Amino acid sequence: MKLKTLLGPACLGAVLAASAALPAHAATQPAIHSQKGSNGKTIAIFVPSLSNPFFVAEEKFAAEEATKLGYGTMVASHNGNAYTQLNLIKTAIARHVAAIILDNAGADSSISAVKLATKAGVPVFLIDREINAKGIAKAQIVSNNFQGAQLEGTEFAKLMGYKGTYVELTGLPSDTNAKVRSQGVASVLKHFSGMKMVAVQTADWSQSKGFQVTQTLLEAHPHIKGLIADNDTMAMGAEAALLAAHKPNVIVTGFDGSPDVINSIRKGQIKADVLQPIATFSREAVIEADKYIRTGKTGKPEKQELNCTLITKANVGDYTNWAMKSKS
């Protein structure tokens, strides 16, 4: 979904070439990083990537909370591959972890893995992305993606002056969040008759694909006024493509709250971003896991949606490390 740093066009070409050489569904054995805790119990934390800033932050916030509560950690990336994810969960069960914090590999393809852990007596706490099943995971703690997308759509329309042509970059088709965000954006923009979406295309949450897809879209629609990206890495890829095409005035917005996009907003490039409460839901999952381990209950409903925050040039100074500064 996100690369750690903004790649230039030359580097992006190399990334694309390397990616094309890999089998589409290859599952490699991921590295597992373990750390002992003080209470003799371990919490596993599995995320889609440990090179993507969003997921790195997710893992970091969760691991810090687990360490603070005395747990050891077992950290790995499933790379968005359901087979790799299943093997990681089997390993976690074999190592007798006390709980699993999981940003899953697919709303449908992850159900069997979560069922396996639950049947083995290992509670699973989902973050960021939910699965299409209830009553299996102990918690599904996610951003309110529809609300966040409405924030993005509203600000995008305002920046566009409520008129002009635009394109949209959407996320992985298998990801529930991709569908919900696109629906949230559409629920706002459909009300502005002066605005016309001339293309919508997935870039799979990827920065390199965001760059490539934007280049292709610019060839077909060279005079677009705006581009709305459903996550930050696609926004960064799009912005790089627009700069390479000497089109710095095309309005771009993103969704995540990554430091890269926030820095772009500070520079006056990307115009707005939606901050997901990543620090909150990553820590909360561990807190609820700890309570469940100790009492057999979380005290919370399974599905929990946390609202997002709009970041613009006006309030970007209040941003710090995937969060907004608290007002006292």
Side-chain angles (χ1 to χ4, degrees):
M1 192 163 81
K2 298 174 187 165
L3 297 179
K4 193 168 185 179
T5 57
L6 175 60
L7 299 176
C11 293
L12 281 162
V15 169
L16 291 169
S19 298
L22 294 173
H25 301 290
T28 57
Q29 183 62 34
I32 296 175
H33 307 280
S34 299
Q35 182 174 315
K36 292 183 178 180
S38 59
N39 68 8
K41 297 177 181 178
T42 297
I43 290 179
I45 304 166
F46 300 143
V47 295
S49 170
L50 288 175
S51 61
N52 176 320
F54 183 90
F55 300 125
V56 169
E58 211 174 49
E59 178 273 320
K60 177 176 176 289
F61 290 126
E64 286 177 348
E65 191 66 32
T67 300
K68 185 171 77 173
L69 293 172
Y71 293 92
T73 56
M74 172 185 169
V75 174
S77 163
H78 53 67
N79 291 314
N81 186 294
Y83 181 75
T84 302
Q85 176 180 259
L86 179 61
N87 283 339
L88 282 172
I89 286 178
K90 287 179 178 178
T91 300
I93 293 168
R95 293 190 183 186
H96 305 290
V97 301
I100 297 171
I101 309 298
L102 175 65
D103 190 338
N104 70 78
D108 293 311
S109 60
S110 299
I111 294 173
S112 59
V114 176
K115 279 183 176 178
L116 181 68
T118 301
K119 187 176 180 180
V122 180
V124 179
F125 298 79
L126 301 175
I127 56 175
D128 182 39
R129 292 181 284 195
E130 55 198 289
I131 57 172
N132 291 328
K134 297 179 181 178
I136 306 171
K138 302 306 177 188
Q140 302 195 52
I141 312 173
V142 300
S143 300
N144 188 336
N145 284 279
F146 194 83
Q147 173 262 351
Q150 287 187 314
L151 288 178
E152 184 182 10
T154 301
E155 184 64 16
F156 182 72
K158 179 181 175 182
L159 290 164
M160 290 276 289
Y162 307 102
K163 60 183 179 181
T165 58
Y166 68 95
V167 296
E168 180 183 358
L169 300 185
T170 61
L172 280 166
S174 62
D175 190 336
T176 302
N177 288 351
K179 181 178 179 180
V180 172
R181 289 181 195 176
S182 193
Q183 289 174 337
V185 166
S187 74
V188 172
L189 299 185
K190 69 180 181 180
H191 296 293
F192 304 111
S193 58
M195 296 180 66
K196 182 181 179 182
M197 183 170 69
V198 294
V200 55
Q201 190 167 334
T202 182
D204 295 341
W205 302 131
S206 164
Q207 184 167 332
S208 57
K209 287 186 180 179
F211 181 92
Q212 184 182 49
V213 169
T214 301
Q215 283 188 318
T216 302
L217 291 175
L218 285 174
E219 291 175 5
H221 308 283
H223 303 299
I224 57 168
K225 185 178 178 181
L227 183 150
I228 188 162
D230 293 350
N231 88 326
D232 277 0
T233 42
M234 295 189 299
M236 293 298 287
E239 183 67 11
L242 289 164
L243 292 174
H246 306 291
K247 295 180 180 292
N249 296 323
V250 174
I251 294 162
V252 178
T253 61
F255 191 118
D256 276 337
S258 73
D260 284 341
V261 168
I262 298 306
N263 288 336
S264 182
I265 291 173
R266 289 191 175 107
K267 294 174 184 176
Q269 295 172 345
I270 291 176
K271 302 305 179 186
D273 198 23
V274 172
L275 171 66
Q276 295 196 67
I278 176 175
T280 301
F281 67 60
S282 299
R283 290 169 176 149
E284 179 62 22
V286 175
I287 291 169
E288 291 184 25
D290 172 60
K291 185 170 182 180
Y292 185 87
I293 291 164
R294 291 184 291 104
T295 70
K297 298 179 181 179
T298 66
K300 299 285 184 70
E302 177 184 337
K303 177 70 177 291
Q304 300 164 54
E305 284 189 314
L306 309 180
N307 281 346
C308 302
T309 304
L310 180 69
I311 301 179
T312 66
K313 189 79 169 179
N315 68 347
V316 71
D318 294 330
Y319 172 93
T320 176
N321 191 29
W322 294 95
M324 301 300 283
K325 297 173 184 174
S326 59
K327 303 290 184 179
S328 55

